[in-house]
């Protein structure tokens, strides 16, 4: 993204969420960066300034979960910036409203059997019914705290107890989808339109998690008919809510997540197919700013 923006003459400024503040207005202590072509030595840092967020042409919010209270607080500051005239993508109110796991609930016709609960007994009943399930927390990413639990798993009880923590934590359970062996497919939506290739993240041997961070192998592929159907149904809805960039996770025929915080796979798709995903993103961003 940054290289694409720089190639079009845009200045790049970087800050962390800890650099956000509100003092009569939303501000950021940001450092100007320039990008190199060397992935091992990819940037040069220049001057650092405190500036109102509404003085930047656009503010891109990309912060990995966990989605904790401090994450929410950063979106509150960004919402203040929007009221002050800043153009923030993805829209902070939309980020707050779309939990990356539970946002799928709006699109029930594309889902495998799914349960969200804090109740250990309901999770156990779901595993009994489905016989093979995947359990995951609602506020993490990258394959962290994801468990496949079969009906006869000897560690089943301790897994459920660890996940719900006595009813303190909400957990999503989904029926295990065997097509994960062919990949957890990341479909990118840019301002409501699908990138024509997905990245199939194929689990390594002995794994059931299709996450690059968990060692999965990424293979770019043209969108299937089903993936395009899901993308075309969700894209316009999410775009209208200020979600400029969304990463749909689709396993087999089923939608499993709607990622809105920091969707990735630009590089892998671009490198393997030649399709300019960063260019498509910059086109959409510049259109929003026009």
């Amino acid at each position: 993204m940054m290289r694409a923006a720089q190639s079009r003459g845009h200045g790049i400024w970087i800050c962390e969420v800890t650099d956000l503040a509100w003092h009569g207005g939303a501000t950021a202590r940001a450092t100007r960066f320039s990008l190199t072509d060397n992935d091992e030595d990819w940037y040069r840092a220049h001057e650092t300034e405190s500036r109102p967020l509404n003085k930047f042409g656009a503010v891109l919010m990309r912060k990995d979960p966990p989605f904790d209270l401090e994450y929410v607080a950063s979106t509150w500051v960004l919402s203040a910036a929007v009221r002050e005239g800043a153009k923030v993508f993805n829209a902070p109110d939309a980020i707050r409203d779309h939990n990356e796991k539970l946002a799928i609930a709006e699109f029930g016709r594309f889902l495998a059997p799914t349960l969200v609960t804090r109740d250990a007994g309901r999770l156990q009943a779901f595993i009994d019914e489905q016989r093979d399930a995947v359990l995951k927390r609602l506020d993490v990413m990258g394959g962290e705290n994801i468990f496949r639990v079969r009906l006869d798993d000897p560690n089943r009880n301790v897994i459920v107890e660890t996940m719900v923590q006595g009813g303190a934590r909400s957990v999503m359970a989904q029926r295990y989808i065997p097509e994960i062996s062919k990949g957890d497919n990341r479909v990118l939506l840019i301002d409501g339109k699908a990138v024509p290739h997905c990245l199939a993240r194929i689990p390594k041997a002995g794994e059931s998690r299709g996450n690059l961070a968990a060692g999965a192998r990424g293979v770019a592929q043209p969108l299937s008919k089903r993936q395009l159907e899901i993308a075309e149904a969700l894209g316009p809805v999410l775009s209208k809510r200020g979600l400029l960039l969304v990463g749909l996770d689709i396993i087999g025929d089923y939608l499993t997540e709607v990622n809105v915080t920091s969707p990735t796979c630009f590089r892998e798709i671009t490198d393997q197919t030649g399709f300019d995903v960063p260019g498509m993103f910059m086109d959409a961003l510049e259109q929003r700013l026009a």
Side-chain angles (χ1 to χ4, degrees):
M1 283 183 186
M2 290 187 287
R3 283 175 173 152
Q6 179 176 271
S7 72
R8 297 184 183 208
H10 299 295
I12 309 296
W13 294 75
I14 305 294
C15 77
E16 299 282 349
V17 291
T18 52
D19 297 313
L20 296 175
W22 191 92
H23 186 200
T27 66
R29 182 172 173 79
T31 300
R32 185 173 65 86
F33 272 35
S34 57
L35 285 297
T36 74
D37 293 327
N38 182 350
D39 288 347
E40 302 302 321
D41 182 24
W42 58 271
Y43 72 92
R44 299 290 181 269
H46 304 291
E47 70 273 17
T48 299
E49 299 177 4
S50 289
R51 295 173 56 180
L53 288 174
N54 60 13
K55 298 301 182 183
F56 293 97
V59 178
L60 304 186
M61 170 56 161
R62 286 185 62 80
K63 170 67 175 69
D64 291 342
F67 198 96
D68 54 15
L69 183 57
E70 286 304 317
Y71 196 116
V72 174
S74 69
T75 69
W76 289 333
V77 174
L78 292 173
S79 289
V82 171
R83 293 191 295 271
E84 295 156 9
K87 296 183 177 181
V88 182
F89 307 98
N90 283 330
D93 57 339
I95 292 175
R96 286 195 301 274
D97 288 347
H98 292 78
N99 174 271
E100 297 191 314
K101 308 296 190 294
L102 194 50
I104 65 173
E106 184 177 354
F107 309 103
R109 63 193 173 106
F110 299 123
L111 308 187
T114 299
L115 168 70
V116 177
T117 184
R118 295 184 181 191
D119 187 306
R122 293 194 68 179
L123 283 174
Q124 295 282 17
F126 183 88
I127 297 168
D128 287 340
E129 178 184 359
Q130 301 301 327
R131 306 186 67 84
D132 196 350
V134 173
L135 273 55
K136 52 189 175 182
R137 294 237 175 95
L138 299 182
D139 58 350
V140 294
M141 59 161 286
E144 182 181 348
N145 284 309
I146 294 180
F147 293 91
R148 178 183 178 185
V149 186
R150 296 180 178 88
L151 180 68
D152 59 352
D153 192 321
N155 294 310
R156 169 178 163 173
N157 290 340
V158 71
I159 291 172
V160 171
E161 291 166 7
T162 299
M163 292 293 279
V164 300
Q165 293 185 2
R169 300 294 295 272
S170 294
V171 175
M172 173 174 280
Q174 294 174 315
R175 185 180 70 196
Y176 176 74
I177 305 170
E179 289 85 353
I180 184 63
S181 63
K182 299 179 182 178
D184 183 349
N185 301 286
R186 169 59 53 84
V187 176
L188 293 171
L189 299 178
I190 296 177
D191 209 3
K193 298 178 181 178
V195 172
H197 304 271
C198 69
L199 191 76
R201 296 163 298 171
I202 301 170
K204 64 183 181 182
E207 264 284 1
S208 59
R209 295 176 298 170
N211 303 88
L212 298 181
R217 176 171 55 94
V219 179
Q221 302 173 347
L223 295 188
S224 70
K225 182 178 179 181
R226 177 63 166 179
Q227 291 163 356
L228 188 59
E229 177 190 3
I230 295 172
E232 289 179 343
L234 272 63
V237 175
L238 300 176
S239 175
K240 287 179 182 177
R241 297 173 184 172
L243 294 168
L244 183 68
L245 175 61
V246 175
L248 305 179
D249 287 349
I250 300 173
I251 303 173
D253 287 335
Y254 300 105
L255 175 70
T256 61
E257 292 188 12
V258 178
N259 295 277
V260 300
T261 55
S262 54
T264 59
C265 301
F266 278 39
R267 286 291 301 269
E268 293 86 353
I269 293 173
T270 298
D271 289 348
Q272 293 183 37
T273 70
F275 183 85
D276 186 5
V277 182
M280 180 177 173
F281 176 79
M282 287 305 304
D283 286 344
L285 177 60
E286 290 173 340
Q287 183 63 39
R288 286 282 190 119
L289 300 176

